[in-house]
Amino acid sequence: MPRLPTIRAQFPDLATTAAREQMTYRGFLAELLMAECDDRARRRSERRIKAAGFPRQKALRDFDFDANSDPATIHTLASCEWIKKGEPLCLIGDSGTGKSHLLIALGTETAIAGFRVKCVLATKLVNELVEAADDKQLTKTIARYGRVDLLAIDELGYMELDRRGAELLFQVLTEREEKASVAIASNESFEGWTKTFTDPRLCAAIVDRLTFGGNIIETGTDSYRLSHAKNQQGSG
């Protein structure tokens, strides 16, 4: 059974269970097919998560909701309705407040739900766009980023972008506007984005692309990573 690996692997155990529980032939067949389907779904999810390129594994169940944010809003986002509507998401907060954790965890939930996801650092994305433009591959690169259902951009605002880089990033955001979701994590409030996007009009246009009809979650200013480290030291 080359195309039914789970049935081949689990047949002996399931057959033993079926005999012990006196299952009907139809019931036994249903168990075999359900096992195959469940395993295929799991493998598809694993492939989508791998293709997303998350820098590390993060899950919502491991997020410190007591320290930051609104659990109801975040769990609503985990249902992926905003992905279906092509809405943007902005996670704004200081270092250590969990915004990257949420970005990856919500991206993972999106991949598990069957959507295509790509996660990338803002500087890496801009560098790739600049190289693509130099190699006359920009249209193809923007189209590739346009095909995923969720583009998750981490660390937006950590470094200043020159005008060319900012304009190329703006093209990616425009390609996706009201069609497919973008999620960003930034350590700067929107007022501080002029340090990243030095052209005020371009900065305003990018903020508009990322906030219109979207979701904004502020993870705060108190680092729970730092707090957790201090607590660990205090109890040691």
Side-chain angles (χ1 to χ4, degrees):
M1 299 179 192
R3 297 185 183 278
L4 300 171
T6 305
I7 288 178
R8 182 177 57 195
Q10 297 189 18
F11 181 87
D13 290 340
L14 288 174
T16 301
T17 301
R20 186 175 64 247
E21 297 179 2
Q22 297 183 320
M23 278 186 195
T24 63
Y25 289 123
R26 183 175 293 179
F28 175 45
L29 179 59
E31 287 290 320
L32 284 172
L33 293 176
M34 282 175 61
E36 184 68 43
C37 290
D38 288 348
D39 206 42
R40 285 189 180 193
R42 179 186 59 77
R43 290 197 301 270
R44 282 196 296 269
S45 291
E46 288 174 352
R47 284 196 296 270
R48 285 192 295 269
I49 290 171
K50 184 177 181 180
F54 297 117
R56 52 199 171 277
Q57 291 184 345
K58 293 291 181 181
L60 280 184
R61 65 178 175 273
D62 300 324
F63 185 70
D64 188 349
F65 288 103
D66 293 331
N68 291 292
S69 304
D70 175 7
T73 300
I74 292 168
H75 285 302
T76 298
L77 289 169
S79 71
C80 297
E81 284 300 314
W82 64 289
I83 302 292
K84 296 174 186 175
K85 296 174 183 176
E87 295 173 351
L89 168 65
C90 295
L91 300 162
I92 310 293
D94 285 0
S95 295
T97 57
K99 59 189 181 299
S100 292
H101 185 140
L102 282 178
L103 185 76
I104 295 169
L106 289 170
T108 301
E109 292 293 327
T110 301
I112 291 171
F115 297 99
R116 293 165 297 177
V117 181
K118 184 63 180 175
C119 184
V120 65
L121 294 177
T123 50
K124 184 176 184 298
L125 172 59
V126 170
N127 288 339
E128 185 179 346
L129 292 170
V130 169
E131 288 176 11
D134 290 343
D135 295 339
K136 296 184 170 49
Q137 298 291 315
L138 183 61
T139 301
K140 183 190 292 186
T141 302
I142 290 177
R144 176 159 49 81
Y145 279 107
R147 283 195 293 271
V148 296
D149 301 299
L150 171 62
L151 176 59
I153 305 174
D154 200 3
E155 297 187 1
L156 186 64
Y158 278 78
M159 293 182 65
E160 179 182 323
L161 300 177
D162 62 22
R163 182 179 177 86
R164 187 187 185 204
E167 287 176 345
L168 292 172
L169 178 60
F170 181 66
Q171 286 188 48
V172 172
L173 300 178
T174 300
E175 172 73 17
R176 301 180 62 79
E177 187 182 18
E178 295 186 36
K179 294 187 295 185
S181 294
V182 174
I184 65 100
S186 177
N187 66 326
E188 282 282 359
S189 63
F190 295 121
E191 293 80 10
W193 280 23
T194 48
K195 288 181 278 185
T196 299
F197 306 105
T198 52
D199 183 296
R201 294 172 70 177
L202 184 59
C203 180
I206 287 173
V207 171
D208 181 66
R209 290 286 188 278
L210 290 171
T211 57
F212 180 73
N215 307 274
I216 301 171
I217 294 179
E218 295 182 358
T219 57
T221 57
D222 298 325
S223 170
Y224 72 76
R225 278 207 303 263
L226 181 60
S227 175
H228 179 71
K230 287 180 177 177
N231 289 339
Q232 290 288 92
Q233 288 176 349
S235 62

